[in-house]
Amino acid sequence: MTTFYDDDHEAFRETVRTFVDREVRPSMEDWDRDGLIPRDVWRAAGKAGVLGLRIPEEHGGAGVDDYRFRCVVQEELAQVGAASFASGTSINDDVVVGYLRRYGTPEQQATWLPGMATGDVVASIAMSEPGAGSDLRGMRTTAVREGDTWRLSGAKTFITSGFSSDVVLVAARTSEHEGRPRLSLFVVPSASEGFSRGRKLSKVGLHAQDTAELAFDDLVLPTSALLGEEGSGFHHLTHQLPLERLSIAWRALVAAEAAYAWTVEYTKERQAFGSRVIDFQSSRFRLAELSTELDVTRAFMEQAVLRLGAGELDATTGAKAKWW
Ligand SMILES: Cc1cc2nc3c(=O)[nH]c(=O)nc-3n(C[C@H](O)[C@H](O)[C@H](O)COP(=O)(O)OP(=O)(O)OC[C@H]3O[C@@H](n4cnc5c(N)ncnc54)[C@H](O)[C@@H]3O)c2cc1C
């Protein structure tokens, strides 16, 4: 029905579906209860070839830049309502992989990417702080250069996979220019001395997603932990935004499509006042409107994904997708 996907994407869909049926669908309620997705599931995803699609082959990934394969993964996870796993794996595959590929040194890439492809390494990105959300200028976490090391101090909050991650890309102030902080990014192993995790935060949704607070207490890093250019952290963060926004927007779209399909099923099964709920005209009007909104959204989103593939997705279109 659509020209967006070709036979390769559909063949890959079968792989993802098999993985989801075997590893995800039967256990999701346990994950929600525990507030955590077991590491074995990440490893199973790595083994099935569902993780690390954008990781270069030399580092154990599939080396596939066509984002439509990631779209397939997100769709299949949405079909079973596995939003928590979808968001955690998206931070790995859509966000952290992007930073390591673009800004990582060969050493940083060789250290972290192979584990991210197998599911042995879960990654996070830590920008937000209690006093720094939309406005990153409020960031208080600092990294101070001391000879051959950086000393990292501060706290982060709302960090996706923060409770379980093995490596965290941390944004910190490294200097100031005309009263504004200059940010830099650091690759921080969670096994570092001075790294600690706070509580898992309870949320209205994404219950299996371990969103957590992190703290860095005089954490000493080698100079090789710097990711990208010193002082260019804000620029690096904004450069990655189009894909990050698109990935969130796509997840929202496919979740809405799945919710719509479940709703139609439910209204067909449910009886009230002597007929099926779907047979009431008001239900049909509402469903017709929702179906239209979804189709129009999908048309826009597919164009955005194709533009990403052509290297033409600008920050504004990414922002529009996420806002919508
Ligand atoms: C489930 C979840 C996972 C997350 N994962 C991560 C993660 O992995 N890493 C990470 O770094 N962060 C993460 N975040 C944090 C997220 O990026 C922040 O929540 C976001 O940046 C907004 O910041 P804030 O919550 O402090 O809200 P604020 O920025 O304080 O905003 C509060 C309110 O003020 C409004 N507001 C803000 N600016 C303006 C303005 N200029 N004009 C008018 N109104 C305004 C906002 O719309 C909002 O209603 C996550 C958040 C959630 C909920």
Side-chain angles (χ1 to χ4, degrees):
M1 297 301 285
T2 162
T3 54
F4 182 63
Y5 292 122
D6 64 27
D7 291 347
D8 290 344
H9 302 113
E10 295 305 338
F12 178 63
R13 186 185 301 283
E14 290 308 312
T15 305
V16 181
R17 201 168 278 174
T18 305
F19 162 76
V20 169
D21 281 343
R22 200 179 50 222
E23 305 286 347
V24 177
R25 195 196 294 266
S27 316
M28 278 170 37
E29 277 180 26
D30 296 341
W31 307 347
D32 277 350
R33 191 199 52 224
D34 299 342
L36 199 69
I37 292 152
R39 186 60 61 94
D40 284 352
V41 180
W42 287 78
R43 293 196 179 103
K47 207 167 172 193
V50 171
L51 269 186
L53 299 179
R54 298 168 60 240
I55 294 177
E57 282 174 288
E58 65 189 284
H59 294 303
V64 172
D65 266 326
D66 178 351
Y67 193 71
R68 288 173 294 178
F69 287 96
R70 284 282 305 135
C71 292
V72 169
V73 174
Q74 306 236 40
E75 274 167 23
E76 293 305 312
L77 289 172
Q79 289 295 313
V80 299
S84 295
F85 193 52
S87 80
T89 46
S90 176
I91 291 286
N92 256 48
D93 283 5
D94 297 327
V95 180
V96 175
V97 165
Y99 281 94
L100 288 173
R101 271 181 51 173
R102 186 171 168 100
Y103 304 112
T105 60
E107 186 197 340
Q108 287 167 339
Q109 292 178 355
T111 305
W112 299 108
L113 290 176
M116 290 174 71
T118 57
D120 287 307
V121 169
V122 172
S124 290
I125 182 155
M127 299 172 273
S128 306
E129 298 183 3
S134 309
D135 183 5
L136 287 178
R137 284 174 305 184
M139 193 176 289
R140 285 167 176 261
T141 295
T142 56
V144 178
R145 181 83 189 250
E146 290 177 357
D148 283 345
T149 59
W150 289 95
R151 191 174 287 272
L152 183 69
S153 311
K156 300 286 180 182
T157 191
F158 297 135
I159 306 308
T160 300
S161 304
F163 201 75
S164 59
S165 56
D166 307 284
V167 62
V168 186
L169 306 188
V170 178
R173 300 168 78 115
T174 43
S175 60
E176 253 186 44
H177 182 68
E178 294 175 352
R180 286 165 174 256
R182 282 256 168 94
L183 307 181
S184 302
L185 304 180
F186 295 90
V187 182
V188 181
S190 60
S192 307
E193 201 172 320
F195 184 105
S196 62
R197 312 181 202 261
R199 61 206 168 95
K200 267 190 262 169
L201 303 167
S202 59
K203 308 185 289 304
V204 292
L206 298 177
H207 296 300
Q209 177 50 247
D210 54 310
T211 312
E213 297 169 328
L214 302 177
F216 320 111
D217 182 14
D218 277 335
L219 191 156
V220 177
L221 292 165
T223 47
S224 59
L226 182 71
L227 181 68
E229 265 181 52
E230 181 181 340
S232 297
F234 193 75
H235 174 264
H236 296 342
L237 292 171
T238 47
H239 191 272
Q240 299 294 309
L241 274 178
L243 172 56
E244 287 174 30
R245 287 172 170 157
L246 188 69
S247 70
I248 291 171
W250 189 269
R251 259 198 333 277
L253 166 67
V254 295
E257 287 176 337
Y260 176 80
W262 301 329
T263 305
V264 170
E265 283 312 304
Y266 179 77
T267 55
K268 283 179 182 167
E269 284 162 18
R270 185 72 179 166
Q271 299 274 334
F273 302 102
S275 58
R276 302 182 309 166
V277 167
I278 198 167
D279 293 330
F280 295 116
Q281 200 175 31
S282 61
S283 308
R284 298 174 82 90
F285 280 158
R286 187 71 190 114
L287 289 171
E289 284 170 7
L290 289 170
S291 173
T292 309
E293 282 182 30
L294 288 170
D295 286 355
V296 173
T297 304
R298 177 167 274 272
F300 177 80
M301 290 297 301
E302 291 186 354
Q303 282 305 312
V305 171
L306 295 176
R307 284 176 68 177
L308 177 77
E312 290 168 5
L313 183 72
D314 57 299
T316 307
T317 307
K320 285 180 181 176
K322 186 179 171 189
W323 174 77
W324 180 252

